Amino acid sequence: QLQFVESGGGLVQPGGSLRLSCEASGFALAHYSIGWFRQAPGKEREGVSCISRVDDTTYYSDSVKGRFTISRDNAKNAAYLQMNSLKPEDTAVYYCALDSGNSSPTGWNIVYEYDYWGQGTQVTVSS
C-alpha cells in the first residue's frame, strides 16, 4: 500500500491563495503521473490538474486554467497545487491521485485512470 497524504487545505477568502501538498513516503512519486481532483457536496469528482510521469506535461481544467499551477519536487518526494484567485465555486475536498501510466490529453481527468487516491483535504472559499 502506497502511503501519501494531502495537506494545505483550509478556509480562505475569495481572491486568496492556498498551496496544497501531496507528500509520499516509502516510494518515489517521480514514477507516477499525479492528478489533483476535487469533489463538492452533491457533485461528481472532477479533474483539476495533472502532471505527467514521463515529461512533466501539465494539464488543467478550463475552470482553473490560469489560476492554478501544478508542480512536483522529486527531491522532496512531493507534488503541489498552487491555487490563486480562489472563488467560492472552488470549495471542495481536493484529492491527490497517482497514475502509474503516462497521462494523455484525453485521459488525465478520468477518475478510473488513477490507481491510488489520498484521503483528501478540504478547501473552503468563503467570506
Side-chain angles (χ1 to χ4, degrees):
Q1 184 74 17
L2 303 185
Q3 291 193 337
F4 59 100
V5 62
E6 305 99 327
S7 62
L11 173 64
V12 63
Q13 292 187 343
S17 298
L18 284 174
R19 188 177 82 152
L20 305 184
S21 299
C22 177
E23 297 174 286
S25 60
F27 70 99
L29 272 181
H31 296 164
Y32 295 87
S33 296
I34 300 166
W36 285 97
F37 287 73
R38 66 186 181 187
Q39 188 165 19
K43 295 189 176 181
E44 293 187 354
R45 192 167 297 190
E46 64 169 345
V48 174
S49 184
C50 171
I51 185 166
S52 69
R53 177 179 63 86
V54 174
D55 56 7
D56 284 354
T57 299
T58 57
Y59 305 95
Y60 298 93
S61 66
D62 288 342
S63 61
V64 307
K65 198 171 296 182
R67 300 188 296 124
F68 291 11
T69 303
I70 191 171
S71 62
R72 66 161 88 223
D73 185 335
N74 292 335
K76 294 184 178 181
N77 209 20
Y80 307 98
L81 185 69
Q82 178 67 44
M83 307 187 296
N84 298 330
S85 303
L86 283 162
K87 305 175 181 180
E89 51 264 43
D90 294 318
T91 296
V93 177
Y94 283 70
Y95 298 90
C96 176
L98 308 184
D99 175 8
S100 58
N102 196 27
S103 302
S104 71
T106 55
W108 73 267
N109 58 348
I110 298 177
V111 170
Y112 63 75
E113 289 289 336
Y114 291 80
D115 307 297
Y116 305 98
W117 292 82
Q119 85 290 347
T121 185
Q122 176 71 46
V123 171
T124 303
V125 185
S126 174
S127 56

